[in-house]
Amino acid sequence: MKRPLRFMLRLVLAALFVAPILLALAASFRDNSDMYRYAGSLSLWTFLPAEPGIDAYRRAFTLPLLQTQLFNTVLLGFVMATGTTVSSLLAGYALSRFRFRGRQALFLLMLFTLFIPVDVILPPLFFVVRDLGLIDSFWGLALPFIFSPIGVYLIRQAIEEVPRELDHAASLDGAGLWEVLRTAILPNIRGALIACWLMHFVFVWEWYLWPLTAMRSDDGQLAQVAIASLIDPLRSTDYALVFAAAILTILPAFVVFAILQRFLTSSQATTGGK
Amino acid sequence: MDTTIAIRPVRLKPRLPALLEGWGPALVFLAPALVMLCLFKLWLIAEAVYTSTGTFDPGGQRIGNAGLDNFGFALSDSRFQWGLWLSLFAAVAKVPVQLALGLAAALMLRANTGGNAVVRAMVISPMFFGLPVTTFIFAYMFDANVGAVNAILSGIGLPRVAWLSTEAPAQMLVLGLSIWRDVGVTMLVFLAGLSAIPPQIANAAKLDGAGPFALFFTITLPLLARSFQFAVVLATLASFQILVPVLMLTKGGPTGATDLASFQIYETAFSYFDLGTASAMSLALLFGLIVIIALELRWLAVKWTYE
Amino acid sequence: MHKLVLRSVTKSYAAGSAVLKPFDLVAQAGELVVLVGPSGCGKSTLLKLIAGLEKLDDGQILLGERDITNVEPRHRRIAMVFQNYALYPHLSVRENLAYPLRRQKLRAADIVLKVSAVARQLRLDELLDRRPSQLSGGQKQRVAMGRAIIREPDLFLLDEPLSNLDAALRTHVRGEIRDLQRRLGTTMIYVTHDQVEAQTLADRLVIMRNGEVQQVGPPQEIYERPANIFAAAFLGTAPPNFLAGRIVDDRVEIGQASLPLADLPGECRTALAGREQIYVGLRPEMLRPTCDLDRDHFVLRGKVIRREIVGNSQNVHFRSEAGSADAAKLSALAGRHLSDELVWTTERAGTDDAVELGIRPESILFFDTDGVAIGAHGSDAL
Ligand SMILES: Nc1ncnc2c1ncn2[C@@H]1O[C@H](COP(=O)(O)OP(=O)(O)OP(=O)(O)O)[C@@H](O)[C@H]1O
Ligand SMILES: [Mg+2]
């Protein structure tokens, strides 16, 4: 293939994925009348704000509960990330290092739960959480997903790669089960732990169905679910407000990701060479 | 007394039943995951099975046993049958397209250059925005009035499309959103698979007389078999999770064009409060999903290993 | 049979650091040329250039009558055996062997015939339906060889093909490769780290260092007349004992010992005359106790430090006042670490704590202070 053609292909590919995102970003800086005025005919102002302004952001800040809801999302992110990472770490350690009957079967059973998507099993999940009396509560949102098959898989895999000699050396030096985990294994799987944490943290921004179902009160709701109710496909939607609010919502995820991503790549660089 | 102790074989601990061998110390570490697994996965299935055999009043109280009637009712309902077909259709439409695009992107971007790294990051970027926000973006792009897509269409002289209120466009929108979002994952799977192919093997094939096409079809593609299997299962799983845009934008319409089984389950449970039928539908769909994935795993089984 | 010619081939991966300095090499038709050299000296790179798997920066490659410099790998008619064999993991042994033939679009019946012929030749008949992961190292090696010979290439390239086998098997397969190459008469370039392998296989040996040829020639000739300290140190069971010496009047002085120039072969005498500082190399296996020598001109006295028994011979490590003070410089020239201990390899089981050794003057290797051999050493340039 010729060079210019290759370059063009990559450009098209990149545009395909980035253009919609940029379009949304641009929309958050315009106002609605502006959007409608230029929508009819194709011009630069169909895509970009003719008179960029931050009015939409100002209005987003005055949305009655957005800040509480954003706090809910972020808090849930921290709780989910930490909860899944800790439970996965402990389970991964047991599944990798302990010999007990049915270990392989248990691991497979855990992985198998990956094939139970929330979309499909939403009503029964609702009933279980209702029976536990957790509907409309923060823990009702969080608890069902604290067990994560992907997290267990990821961390078990990382622990498998830590040489067993390290455990043996530590236990000969007098370390108990917990010390072995803490001193021999933890330092060697930092990359996987951060990856697991980050993945589950970001994953909360993915949530929609479960909070929509299990959280009926507005001040306990997650930001992205609340914003979704601003969209009405049948009537005109205030997209500027939607995107301003949405961008405020995903900002914390980006900040956390940007901070931790450094550790991710550096730890992969040190352990990545096998 | 001393003598009895002396002749008895020393047994410090009572013997555990063989079934529980080795569980003692493991249990402490497994406990958090195990409790959650039992509550929210195993009990969940049990609850689904139990609920599916009952009748409920609108307040959610169980008022009688229905046996398998709920299943019979759901499966003989032509609307639910249509929903199941739609879900299957979503999988059949999404999986091949997403795999082809993901593989093409991976092949195009496999070399480790700075430019490729940037483009790769862009391809996976939709994942970081979360499903709700990406749905907002699509809602805006395809908005009948202010959407960029319609502006472009009319700009180049094509008719504007009422994306959400015409059947095929609404289906394309929902599927397109799902594929757009997930192509990055497929690409990552294939990139990992490509980098696992030892360069020596490709070199050997080149010397053995393989041109670019032969190299791709006789070496690269077969060696990607594992990635293929994984990517297919992931994409299938994702094709059963396109309820969000349906719920947010199309509400199953227009005229049932996006009336997916999962949407009907949601409606049956939370709009009609028919808990028994909803659970039966959930189990039926779950069963279908698992059958499809089992078939895929079987058809795509890989019989060789590297060294 | 095809002759391979490389003309001033150069290659660098990063600007400024050449992996191959202008490199010339000729392999005569049907010849088995072995490339040896320390790790990272560019042996694999050279093979990849010949195969066309890497692009050369400059120069020319001829195979037989063809200029293949810009020919694609698949049209070069070259077969390569890789260190890790690079068998196709998803294909059976049968299909691995058939692969090159299929790419040539041979008729199915011909493919079957050829595969079974090669399988018989390499004793692979029983294994044809296995996959590579079900084979032992030696079996994989044979499949790799089979895949290389099956389409009768113009040239074989082998990159450390035996390094993944255990020692006994290595010796055996080495013999098989030699026989096969003789029988087929195909030109072969063979890369190895193992100098025993190199010496037993090679028609001619190419000693490389940092992308440059140090010496080319038959192994025996290189052993007897190394072109420089590096080549001298590379061949032989143990590197020679290198000592610093001086020419004073008509004698070579090494520590307290000395030797009249008149005792040396003629060419050597003239080349040494007029020099001051030199290095000498004494191969451990050439040293003899003085009582065994008819002349005792050059005597090395030393105290034994340690003995290593290797089969029926032993390496006696000793220290002598003649021992070199230039160990660092000599190490640099030899490309390996040299200590100030001297070694004597002998088959007798002496127990003395002091040794008194001599060497026949014609067995002494002389080098100038840049490590280049003095006298009629060195061999044909190409
Ligand atoms: N693809 C590459 N990119 C950059 N540098 C490379 C590449 N391949 C090889 N090199 C460098 O070129 C030099 C020669 O490498 P080469 O593999 O030819 O050595 P070698 O003689 O085969 O060594 P060994 O005996 O260890 O196999 C080394 O310094 C190596 O680091
Ligand atoms: Mg090499």
Side-chain angles (χ1 to χ4, degrees):
Chain A
M1 242 191 298
K2 289 185 215 77
R3 276 189 79 88
L5 180 60
R6 276 197 236 172
F7 183 73
M8 282 305 294
L9 272 174
R10 282 171 173 73
L11 208 64
V12 169
L13 191 66
L16 207 56
F17 287 90
V18 176
I21 293 163
L22 292 181
L23 203 60
L25 188 67
S28 72
F29 289 104
R30 57 201 305 188
D31 77 52
N32 249 29
S33 56
D34 171 74
M35 207 178 274
Y36 278 88
R37 185 169 337 124
Y38 294 104
S41 63
L42 190 58
S43 75
L44 193 57
W45 309 127
T46 319
F47 309 109
L48 296 178
E51 298 153 22
I54 55 164
D55 181 53
Y57 287 90
R58 214 170 284 138
R59 282 187 293 137
F61 272 112
T62 59
L63 280 176
L65 288 170
L66 188 69
Q67 285 164 49
T68 319
Q69 289 159 342
L70 185 49
F71 176 77
N72 293 339
T73 302
V74 176
L75 181 67
L76 191 65
F78 276 98
V79 169
M80 292 303 300
T82 311
T84 46
T85 306
V86 170
S87 73
S88 302
L89 171 66
L90 297 178
Y93 177 50
L95 287 168
S96 166
R97 291 303 204 250
F98 291 40
R99 301 264 158 270
F100 53 90
R101 198 172 267 263
R103 184 176 63 130
Q104 205 58 31
L106 179 64
F107 183 53
L108 284 179
L109 175 71
M110 286 181 170
L111 285 189
F112 186 75
T113 62
L114 201 61
F115 299 137
I116 310 179
V118 199
D119 294 39
V120 174
I121 208 76
L122 203 54
L125 183 61
F126 179 82
F127 307 147
V128 169
V129 175
R130 187 194 57 187
D131 291 353
L132 292 171
L134 291 173
I135 291 299
D136 283 338
S137 76
F138 181 81
W139 290 108
L141 288 186
L143 281 182
F145 299 98
I146 293 262
F147 164 74
S148 153
I150 297 178
V152 173
Y153 176 81
L154 211 76
I155 289 182
R156 192 195 88 117
Q157 219 54 15
I159 295 179
E160 285 285 288
E161 276 171 27
V162 178
R164 263 151 230 266
E165 288 75 21
L166 231 53
D167 299 28
H168 299 326
S171 42
L172 286 178
D173 290 341
L177 295 176
W178 288 97
E179 275 92 48
V180 167
L181 177 62
R182 199 168 51 80
T183 58
I185 293 182
L186 260 186
N188 289 298
I189 57 166
R190 238 177 253 151
L193 285 177
I194 293 177
C196 178
W197 194 93
L198 209 48
M199 186 173 149
H200 288 96
F201 180 76
V202 176
F203 188 63
V204 166
W205 274 258
E206 190 85 345
W207 282 24
Y208 177 76
L209 288 174
W210 181 236
L212 181 71
T213 313
M215 179 54 72
R216 301 281 158 101
S217 82
D218 282 342
D219 49 5
Q221 193 49 279
L222 304 186
Q224 66 265 33
V225 183
I227 297 170
S229 65
L230 296 174
I231 293 191
D232 185 344
L234 300 180
R235 262 170 288 141
S236 60
T237 303
D238 187 351
Y239 285 111
L241 178 63
V242 166
F243 288 121
I247 285 162
L248 292 178
T249 306
I250 52 184
L251 223 47
F254 269 72
V255 171
V256 171
F257 187 84
I259 294 171
L260 286 185
Q261 180 250 7
R262 254 175 340 120
F263 296 100
L264 207 60
T265 45
S266 68
S267 62
Q268 272 170 350
T270 50
T271 58
K274 266 179 250 166
Chain B
M1 231 165 107
D2 287 351
T3 46
T4 49
I5 289 173
I7 32 179
R8 203 182 279 159
V10 182
R11 186 178 286 168
L12 292 174
K13 283 185 196 166
R15 258 174 60 142
L16 287 168
L19 204 65
L20 290 178
E21 220 174 276
W23 273 80
L27 210 52
V28 182
F29 294 93
L30 283 173
L34 216 49
V35 168
M36 297 299 162
L37 175 77
C38 291
L39 270 182
F40 297 109
K41 304 290 176 188
L42 304 186
W43 182 15
L44 172 66
I45 300 296
E47 174 86 20
V49 172
Y50 177 66
T51 322
S52 70
T53 60
T55 50
F56 293 81
D57 69 12
Q61 290 307 310
R62 190 181 174 103
I63 49 175
N65 284 332
L68 291 176
D69 287 355
N70 287 328
F71 286 94
F73 175 74
L75 291 174
S76 62
D77 176 17
S78 64
R79 181 180 166 204
F80 189 59
Q81 287 169 2
W82 168 243
L84 289 176
W85 279 119
L86 268 182
S87 294
L88 185 65
F89 166 74
V92 170
K94 175 180 158 94
V95 174
V97 174
Q98 187 177 320
L99 255 77
L101 292 177
L103 180 58
L107 287 170
M108 186 152 81
L109 304 174
R110 71 190 286 197
N112 273 322
T113 64
N116 282 352
V118 172
V119 181
R120 276 184 220 157
M122 288 175 172
V123 175
I124 54 178
S125 61
M127 292 198 296
F128 291 102
F129 291 84
L131 194 45
V133 175
T134 42
T135 310
F136 304 162
I137 295 176
F138 263 58
Y140 169 53
M141 277 208 310
F142 289 89
D143 188 286
N145 301 314
V146 295
V149 176
N150 269 351
I152 293 174
L153 284 181
S154 69
I156 59 176
L158 294 171
R160 300 172 76 92
V161 178
W163 289 96
L164 290 177
S165 43
T166 329
E167 292 174 18
Q171 291 173 336
M172 271 160 57
L173 178 78
V174 170
L175 268 179
L177 167 59
S178 168
I179 293 171
W180 181 74
R181 245 182 64 81
D182 295 343
V183 159
V185 184
T186 308
M187 180 190 75
L188 288 183
V189 171
F190 280 125
L191 278 173
L194 284 172
S195 72
I197 298 179
Q200 305 284 13
I201 290 184
N203 282 343
K206 282 184 206 159
L207 286 173
D208 283 343
F213 280 98
L215 187 65
F216 179 71
F217 286 107
T218 63
I219 304 292
T220 312
L221 212 50
L223 290 186
L224 283 177
R226 260 171 251 282
S227 311
F228 221 83
Q229 190 189 33
F230 189 50
V232 165
V233 169
L234 281 187
T236 306
L237 206 54
S239 77
F240 277 73
Q241 305 184 49
I242 51 180
L243 180 53
V244 172
V246 170
L247 213 51
M248 226 188 263
L249 303 180
T250 67
K251 305 277 191 291
T255 56
T258 58
D259 195 15
L260 290 167
S262 51
F263 177 71
Q264 295 180 26
I265 294 171
Y266 183 87
E267 244 187 11
T268 309
F270 303 113
S271 302
Y272 311 151
F273 304 106
D274 187 351
L275 308 191
T277 312
S279 289
M281 290 158 88
S282 277
L283 286 175
L285 186 59
L286 187 63
F287 180 76
L289 168 66
I290 287 167
V291 167
I292 292 176
I293 287 180
L295 286 176
E296 286 172 349
L297 286 174
R298 220 190 131 125
W299 286 332
L300 300 172
V302 183
K303 293 177 201 74
W304 52 270
T305 58
Y306 289 117
E307 297 323 312
Chain C
M1 294 221 253
H2 300 263
K3 176 175 169 179
L4 174 75
V5 180
L6 303 187
R7 285 212 191 110
S8 31
V9 168
T10 59
K11 174 74 185 173
S12 56
Y13 286 107
S17 64
V19 175
L20 291 175
K21 320 275 163 62
F23 194 97
D24 290 282
L25 179 72
V26 176
Q28 299 300 338
E31 199 179 21
L32 200 167
V33 173
V34 174
L35 296 177
V36 285
S39 189
C41 72
K43 305 181 296 290
S44 300
T45 304
L46 188 62
L47 289 199
K48 282 190 201 146
L49 290 176
I50 298 173
L53 297 170
E54 296 275 0
K55 277 225 177 334
L56 38 83
D57 296 342
D58 207 355
Q60 199 181 24
I61 304 176
L62 307 171
L63 180 57
E65 303 300 305
R66 297 186 297 154
D67 179 346
I68 57 167
T69 315
N70 294 312
V71 175
E72 274 193 52
R74 62 184 164 130
H75 296 135
R76 289 195 179 198
R77 303 172 46 78
I78 290 176
M80 185 157 173
V81 175
F82 295 87
Q83 181 175 2
N84 53 9
Y85 315 128
L87 301 179
Y88 308 123
H90 58 299
L91 300 179
S92 64
V93 170
R94 187 192 308 281
E95 284 304 313
N96 263 283
L97 293 177
Y99 190 86
L101 304 179
R102 291 206 193 288
R103 297 284 77 75
Q104 293 176 349
K105 305 266 183 293
L106 250 59
R107 291 216 329 269
D110 294 342
I111 293 181
V112 171
L113 279 181
K114 284 203 173 193
V115 167
S116 57
V118 166
R120 205 170 324 114
Q121 203 176 347
L122 292 171
R123 306 190 314 283
L124 292 168
D125 320 63
E126 314 272 287
L127 308 173
L128 280 175
D129 292 314
R130 300 220 194 143
R131 283 185 207 279
S133 56
Q134 300 165 316
L135 301 177
S136 73
Q139 291 166 338
K140 279 183 206 159
Q141 213 284 329
R142 292 212 299 275
V143 178
M145 281 306 293
R147 196 177 62 184
I149 65 175
I150 198 160
R151 68 196 173 115
E152 296 154 21
D154 294 350
L155 176 69
F156 285 131
L157 302 175
L158 284 77
D159 194 353
E160 304 186 35
L162 306 182
S163 58
N164 283 342
L165 303 181
D166 68 52
L169 198 56
R170 210 177 300 168
T171 316
H172 175 71
V173 179
R174 189 170 78 204
E176 288 190 337
I177 292 182
R178 176 83 260 208
D179 293 345
L180 199 66
Q181 193 268 341
R182 285 270 150 76
R183 197 164 60 233
L184 300 170
T186 311
T187 316
M188 181 184 279
I189 311 286
Y190 187 111
V191 165
T192 179
H193 265 132
D194 180 341
Q195 55 122 343
V196 179
E197 210 168 292
Q199 292 181 70
T200 48
L201 279 174
D203 290 327
R204 274 191 313 149
L205 204 55
V206 178
I207 299 194
M208 286 177 66
R209 182 187 197 185
N210 294 336
E212 282 178 313
V213 175
Q214 300 292 302
Q215 189 171 11
V216 182
Q220 191 60 29
E221 192 180 303
I222 296 183
Y223 175 77
E224 284 167 4
R225 297 188 288 164
N228 53 31
I229 286 184
F230 182 79
F234 207 88
L235 282 203
T237 38
N241 300 298
F242 290 106
L243 303 171
R246 294 190 312 136
I247 311 288
V248 181
D249 298 331
D250 281 343
R251 301 180 74 81
V252 185
E253 287 191 351
I254 299 153
Q256 246 106 78
S258 88
L259 175 78
L261 280 178
D263 285 356
L264 295 171
E267 326 87 21
C268 219
R269 213 180 314 148
T270 34
L272 282 171
R275 286 177 192 270
E276 239 180 276
Q277 295 289 335
I278 56 158
Y279 291 119
V280 299
L282 313 172
R283 294 211 179 265
E285 59 275 22
M286 295 292 184
L287 294 175
R288 299 277 180 276
T290 39
C291 52
D292 288 4
L293 290 168
D294 39 7
R295 290 174 301 195
D296 59 351
H297 285 306
F298 185 26
V299 178
L300 212 51
R301 291 192 187 80
K303 267 176 77 89
V304 173
I305 306 166
R306 140 174 66 88
R307 298 161 192 279
E308 297 163 354
I309 313 272
V310 185
N312 69 341
S313 71
Q314 63 171 329
N315 295 327
V316 180
H317 293 253
F318 62 99
R319 204 166 260 138
S320 160
E321 79 282 1
S324 168
D326 287 2
K329 187 176 178 203
L330 281 164
S331 296
L333 289 171
R336 62 196 291 175
H337 175 72
L338 300 171
S339 71
D340 58 351
E341 287 175 15
L342 304 180
V343 183
W344 168 38
T345 304
T346 176
E347 287 181 7
R348 65 174 72 202
T351 51
D352 293 351
D353 276 351
V355 287
E356 194 175 281
L357 301 168
I359 189 168
R360 306 158 81 92
E362 60 270 28
S363 299
I364 302 177
L365 308 168
F366 292 98
F367 303 95
D368 68 16
T369 45
D370 294 327
V372 178
I374 300 174
H377 302 301
S379 43
D380 52 330
L382 281 181

